[in-house]
Amino acid sequence: MTQSNTEKETRLVGLLAQFDDPDSLMQACESARVDGGYTRMDAFTPFPVHGIDQAIGIKRTILPFIVLFVGLNACLGGIVLQWYTNAASFSPIFPGYDFRISGKPTWSLPANVPVIFEIIVLSSAFAAFFGMLILNKLPRLANPLHRISRFKRVTNDRFFLMIEERDDNFDLEQTRAQLNDWGAVEVEEVNEDMTDRKFPAVIKTALILLLVVLMLPPVLIYRARGMVSRSPRLHVVPDMDWQLKYEAQEIGPTTLEGRKVETEYLFPGQSAAQKQLIGTVSRDEIVGDSELTTGIAKDNTVPNLNAIPTSRYQEPPGGEQKKQENPPEPKWLTKFPESITVNDQLLARGRERFNIYCSVCHGISGEGDGFVNKRAMELALTGKSEWTEVKNLHDPTIVVQPVGKIFDTITHGRATMGPYRDQIDVNDRWAIVAYVKALQELKLTPKPKEDANSGDGKTDGGKKADGKKADGGKKVEPKVTAGKGDAAKKSDPNKKSDPNKKSDSDKKEDKKSDDASKTENGKKEDSADSKKENKSDDG
């Protein structure tokens, strides 16, 4: 095949046939596919023509399958990524971070569905966009059809069929004759200008310079990884680092870039948040049963009950924070309210709520060994943070607290512990109290010996004691002054001591306690001993 122009300047692309209406174009497409056997052709119309795709033999696109394949892989990748980062730590190079908090599992599929969904949507959108461009061989910087003047009316009222030169059945003269036989109004050769294929030197230079500029940030980042700099980091948008806003537990006015910014306080007492007003009722708060909502007995006589829970530090207008003085203790409930039934369901609910809200600091068993407390104590030892050690719920001072006071602590907080009345429902707070008491029952610590009500023995001001009951249960310490062994020895005529152990006062006291617990006459012997003890103390 020869051309008048040299092959170096132009190249034949195909033949373009013009038709006046869509019907004649449709018939020509059918004839070209069936009679001519052409497979590489394309039709151009000003509006969509139904059936034109089947007429020229266009097969169904594989783009939906590409999007489906990419979406499934994105789903799998999102699951594996979140599982690896949250529940696995076996790789020494990029270890995961299996952080346990609020009693939640490290891996749970429902919690990871939003991220998986977003990854699927984003990946599928990219697959559809770039897949369409690749399948259509786009973008094309130039199209030889745009050089034909009659083709410009394709968007108005003209219809065209183009048969490409690279088709196996293409022959310039024969194909032209066939197009005329199929009703073409005009047939024109389409040539590609080979000089247009040369890339402009200006654009090439600009792209090279752009590539060099884009390589600078990665090079600088890689260089900075091994360097130590004492200069402050560059803040491109300083408002993102220093914002004129109120933060929790912060006293204004704030400072911005080292300069003082005068601001007005939102609420009295230099507070950024409005305190709950006395007499207001929170949303979903149970009204009517004061014992259920406060943990205080109805016959309490302490005035101003709303001022009793003082868990936070007051923030005086111009000075340092100092702890607020505690008002007198109200009459706390010693048993659960009538509307609360302590059973297995309540304990199970309390355990669930305790593991979510309390175990992060107090630990699963309530011994103050929660993850947050451990981490905060480690940082406090290094001076990186300030932290007050969490209370051990098995401490004797906590064990003896009534249920009403524990409920109040959960509701309003105490010392440095914050309130949980907004996070935990009233009934759930009582469930936590029941579970805490169950934990304490499982690990009871012995009460102090100076508690007169401990044990089965009954005492009356230190004058009367039932020796038999005390011997069978807990010991009742007799009133004997330590360090006065000789005087104590004389005060008890029935006591037989070993002359070889006169110097050991501790053993004498132990032996004397055993003799006192074995006294047969009970009250008489005890009263006699008491009188002699008083004489020995006077001596």
Side-chain angles (χ1 to χ4, degrees):
M1 180 174 59
T2 60
Q3 299 183 30
S4 59
N5 298 332
T6 60
E7 294 183 357
K8 293 183 180 180
E9 295 180 355
T10 60
R11 181 180 68 86
L12 180 65
V13 177
L15 291 177
L16 181 66
Q18 176 184 336
F19 298 88
D20 289 335
D21 55 75
D23 294 332
S24 59
L25 174 64
M26 181 76 71
Q27 294 177 0
C29 292
E30 290 282 354
S31 301
R33 180 177 60 85
V34 177
D35 300 336
Y38 297 103
T39 58
R40 295 184 177 275
M41 55 183 174
D42 201 356
F44 305 92
T45 61
F47 52 82
V49 177
H50 181 69
I52 195 70
D53 294 343
Q54 293 79 7
I56 61 179
I58 295 179
K59 298 180 181 179
R60 183 176 180 180
T61 178
I62 62 172
L63 185 60
F65 299 98
I66 295 176
V67 175
L68 176 62
F69 177 78
V70 173
L72 292 177
N73 282 274
C75 176
L76 180 62
I79 294 174
V80 173
L81 175 64
Q82 294 180 90
W83 168 81
Y84 177 76
T85 55
N86 296 326
S89 58
F90 54 83
S91 175
I93 302 177
F94 300 104
Y97 191 62
D98 50 347
F99 184 68
R100 297 176 178 85
I101 186 170
S102 298
K104 300 175 183 178
T106 55
W107 168 250
S108 176
L109 184 59
N112 295 275
V113 167
V115 176
I116 297 173
F117 171 76
E118 294 296 339
I119 293 177
I120 292 175
V121 171
L122 183 63
S123 302
S124 300
F126 283 143
F129 178 74
F130 291 107
M132 178 272 299
L133 294 179
I134 295 173
L135 293 177
N136 289 310
K137 300 178 181 179
L138 297 176
R140 296 181 65 180
L141 300 180
N143 192 334
L145 290 174
H146 295 163
R147 295 181 178 275
I148 299 176
S149 59
R150 69 175 68 250
F151 185 74
K152 295 179 181 179
R153 298 187 61 181
V154 70
T155 57
N156 293 332
D157 56 357
R158 291 294 182 266
F159 304 86
F160 294 91
L161 173 63
M162 177 179 175
I163 300 179
E164 298 180 10
E165 182 270 339
R166 56 180 180 168
D167 193 288
D168 296 336
N169 296 330
F170 182 86
D171 182 83
L172 183 60
E173 299 301 332
Q174 181 181 354
T175 303
R176 184 192 298 272
Q178 289 176 335
L179 289 173
N180 290 325
D181 294 341
W182 295 333
V185 177
E186 199 67 46
V187 178
E188 188 173 353
E189 295 183 8
V190 180
N191 296 306
E192 181 180 5
D193 190 353
M194 301 303 293
T195 59
D196 291 345
R197 300 176 67 89
K198 296 180 180 179
F199 205 80
V202 177
I203 298 179
K204 184 185 297 184
T205 305
L207 290 177
I208 294 175
L209 293 177
L210 179 61
L211 181 62
V212 172
V213 172
L214 292 177
M215 288 297 295
L216 289 177
V219 171
L220 294 176
I221 293 174
Y222 180 79
R223 176 176 174 270
R225 290 181 71 247
M227 297 180 61
V228 177
S229 176
R230 298 186 180 274
S231 302
R233 62 180 181 177
L234 179 64
H235 298 276
V236 181
V237 185
D239 293 344
M240 298 299 293
D241 298 307
W242 300 286
Q243 298 182 17
L244 288 174
K245 66 178 182 179
Y246 289 99
E247 296 183 355
Q249 302 179 4
E250 182 178 284
I251 301 178
T254 59
T255 58
L256 180 63
E257 296 182 353
R259 58 188 178 89
K260 190 175 182 181
V261 179
E262 297 295 339
T263 57
E264 295 182 358
Y265 303 115
L266 298 180
F267 302 103
Q270 299 184 352
S271 175
Q274 175 67 51
K275 296 182 179 179
Q276 184 174 354
L277 300 179
I278 299 176
T280 58
V281 180
S282 303
R283 183 173 54 188
D284 299 331
E285 188 79 7
I286 300 176
V287 182
D289 190 351
S290 61
E291 292 186 349
L292 180 67
T293 57
T294 63
I296 303 174
K298 292 181 179 179
D299 57 348
N300 179 69
T301 57
V302 177
N304 193 11
L305 296 181
N306 292 314
I308 288 175
T310 55
S311 61
R312 289 297 179 189
Y313 291 92
Q314 281 190 336
E315 298 172 354
E320 300 179 352
Q321 296 178 347
K322 61 180 181 180
K323 201 170 183 179
Q324 186 179 6
E325 296 181 358
N326 292 327
E329 288 283 334
K331 186 178 180 181
W332 302 112
L333 288 177
T334 57
K335 61 180 181 179
F336 289 86
E338 296 180 357
S339 58
I340 299 296
T341 303
V342 181
N343 51 24
D344 294 341
Q345 290 78 10
L346 185 71
L347 292 176
R349 179 66 176 177
R351 178 183 181 182
E352 178 189 15
R353 299 291 96 182
F354 180 88
N355 289 340
I356 293 175
Y357 294 102
C358 312
S359 64
V360 292
C361 290
H362 289 283
I364 297 295
S365 60
E367 297 180 355
D369 55 351
F371 290 101
V372 174
N373 184 47
K374 286 183 178 180
R375 178 59 177 165
M377 290 302 296
E378 292 176 359
L379 295 177
L381 291 176
T382 58
K384 296 181 179 179
S385 68
E386 295 181 2
W387 182 260
T388 302
E389 187 174 3
V390 175
K391 284 284 187 180
N392 185 350
L393 300 181
H394 301 286
D395 187 270
T397 59
I398 306 297
V399 172
V400 297
Q401 288 186 3
V403 293
K405 188 171 183 178
I406 299 177
F407 175 83
D408 180 80
T409 301
I410 300 173
T411 304
H412 301 98
R414 187 161 272 102
T416 56
M417 172 183 166
Y420 282 85
R421 59 180 177 271
D422 296 330
Q423 294 95 322
I424 310 176
D425 183 69
V426 174
N427 293 327
D428 287 343
R429 279 178 253 159
W430 282 112
I432 293 176
V433 173
Y435 182 69
V436 169
K437 284 297 181 182
L439 284 179
Q440 294 173 348
E441 289 290 337
L442 291 176
K443 189 178 180 181
L444 278 177
T445 56
K447 295 183 179 179
K449 294 183 178 180
E450 46 272 15
D451 187 358
N453 296 326
S454 62
D456 297 329
K458 298 180 180 179
T459 62
D460 185 7
K463 295 181 180 180
K464 298 180 181 180
D466 190 348
K468 294 181 181 180
K469 293 183 178 180
D471 186 57
K474 298 181 180 179
K475 288 185 178 181
V476 179
E477 294 293 332
K479 283 192 174 182
V480 180
T481 305
K484 297 182 180 181
D486 296 335
K489 178 182 176 183
K490 293 178 181 180
S491 65
D492 189 359
N494 297 327
K495 181 179 176 183
K496 296 180 180 181
S497 60
D498 191 351
N500 298 327
K501 299 182 179 179
K502 290 181 180 180
S503 60
D504 194 346
S505 60
D506 295 333
K507 294 183 178 180
K508 288 180 181 181
E509 295 297 331
D510 294 338
K511 188 173 182 181
K512 186 175 180 179
S513 300
D514 294 338
D515 293 338
S517 62
K518 295 179 180 179
T519 303
E520 297 179 358
N521 295 328
K523 296 181 180 180
K524 295 181 179 181
E525 292 292 334
D526 187 74
S527 60
D529 291 342
S530 301
K531 293 178 180 181
K532 292 181 179 182
E533 287 172 7
N534 294 332
K535 291 180 181 180
S536 62
D537 293 337
D538 295 336

